[in-house]
C-alpha cells in the first residue's frame, strides 16, 4: 500500500490601495483650523495606508490625518487616526503612517495651517471648522468643485499559505 503525499500552495498577492487626490501645488489654499475630508478617490480596497503625501500652502503644525467612513449622507466618523506633527510648506511631503482603511473610506486632515486646494475641478471635499480627528457621527459640509492635496497609499496585506501532506509506503 502506498500513501501519496500532496503539496498545496496558495498565494494571495497584496493589492495596492490608493485614496485621495495627488499632493500637488494648486491654485488656492484651504482655510486654517478646518478638518477636510477628500471625497475624490475613495479607498479601492481594505487594508493599511502606510504612506501619506501632503502639500501644505502654509506650514501645518499639529497635523493629523485620518480615514473616514460615511455613516449617512454628510455624517462621517473616523476609522483610524495618525498624528503627523509639522508639515513644511512649499513642496509635496511624504509621511509613513499606519492607518486602517476599508474599501470606500475617505482620507482627511486637520492642522494649524493651510493645505493646497484647487479653485474648481470636477471633485469635492467635506469640511468642518475645528479639529474633528477623531470624531463620531459628525455632520460635515460638502463643497463641490474643489479638491485638496492629500493622498495616501498602502496595501491589502496579501498572504501566502502553504499546506504540505507527507506520505509513506506501507
Amino acid at each position: 500500500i502506498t500513501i501519496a503525499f500532496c503539496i498545496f500552495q496558495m498565494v494571495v498577492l497584496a493589492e495596492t490601495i490608493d485614496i485621495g487626490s495627488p499632493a500637488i501645488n494648486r491654485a488656492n489654499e484651504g482655510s486654517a483650523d478646518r478638518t477636510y475630508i477628500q471625497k475624490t478617490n475613495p479607498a479601492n480596497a481594505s487594508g493599511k495606508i502606510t504612506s501619506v503625501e501632503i502639500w501644505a500652502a502654509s506650514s501645518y503644525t499639529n497635523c493629523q490625518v485620518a480615514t473616514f467612513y460615511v455613516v449617512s449622507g454628510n455624517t462621517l466618523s473616523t476609522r483610524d487616526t495618525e498624528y503627523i506633527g509639522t508639515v513644511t510648506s512649499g513642496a509635496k511631503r511624504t509621511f509613513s503612517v499606519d492607518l486602517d482603511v476599508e474599501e470606500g473610506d475617505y482620507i482627511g486632515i486637520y492642522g494649524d495651517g493651510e493645505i493646497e486646494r484647487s479653485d474648481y475641478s470636477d471633485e469635492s471635499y467635506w469640511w468642518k471648522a475645528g479639529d474633528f480627528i477623531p470624531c463620531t457621527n459628525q455632520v460635515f459640509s460638502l463643497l463641490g468643485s474643489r479638491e485638496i492635496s492629500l493622498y495616501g497609499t498602502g496595501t491589502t496585506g496579501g498572504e501566502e499559505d502553504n499546506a504540505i501532506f507527507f506520505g509513506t509506503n506501507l
Side-chain angles (χ1 to χ4, degrees):
I1 297 176
T2 301
I3 299 176
F5 59 92
C6 176
I7 299 175
F8 173 80
Q9 179 177 1
M10 181 176 83
V11 176
V12 178
L13 299 177
E15 181 182 347
T16 300
I17 300 172
D18 77 318
I19 187 171
S21 293
I24 59 172
N25 189 11
R26 299 180 187 274
N28 294 298
E29 61 258 353
S31 300
D33 193 34
R34 290 187 178 180
T35 300
Y36 291 100
I37 305 165
Q38 183 60 56
K39 192 170 188 241
T40 305
N41 190 32
N44 61 320
S46 300
K48 289 281 189 183
I49 299 300
T50 56
S51 179
V52 171
E53 299 173 356
I54 302 167
W55 192 308
S58 67
S59 290
Y60 256 32
T61 56
N62 299 313
C63 181
Q64 305 166 74
V65 294
T67 51
F68 288 82
Y69 61 93
V70 174
V71 176
S72 170
N74 291 330
T75 302
L76 291 97
S77 293
T78 50
R79 182 171 310 283
D80 200 3
T81 66
E82 183 93 17
Y83 182 79
I84 299 288
T86 299
V87 180
T88 307
S89 65
K92 176 176 73 175
R93 309 294 180 200
T94 304
F95 301 90
S96 293
V97 295
D98 182 19
L99 290 168
D100 292 331
V101 66
E102 295 293 323
E103 184 174 354
D105 282 359
Y106 302 92
I107 191 165
I109 190 168
Y110 173 81
D112 300 324
E114 299 171 338
I115 192 162
E116 288 288 336
R117 179 191 74 178
S118 65
D119 194 11
Y120 297 101
S121 73
D122 294 332
E123 311 305 338
S124 56
Y125 61 78
W126 289 281
W127 71 275
K128 187 168 185 164
D131 179 359
F132 291 92
I133 295 179
C135 72
T136 303
N137 298 331
Q138 289 293 316
V139 178
F140 287 79
S141 297
L142 180 62
L143 184 58
S145 301
R146 308 265 172 117
E147 65 184 314
I148 58 174
S149 290
L150 176 62
Y151 182 73
T153 58
T155 64
T156 58
E159 301 173 6
E160 182 177 308
D161 294 327
N162 295 305
I164 299 174
F165 301 96
F166 295 96
T168 185
N169 289 327
L170 298 176

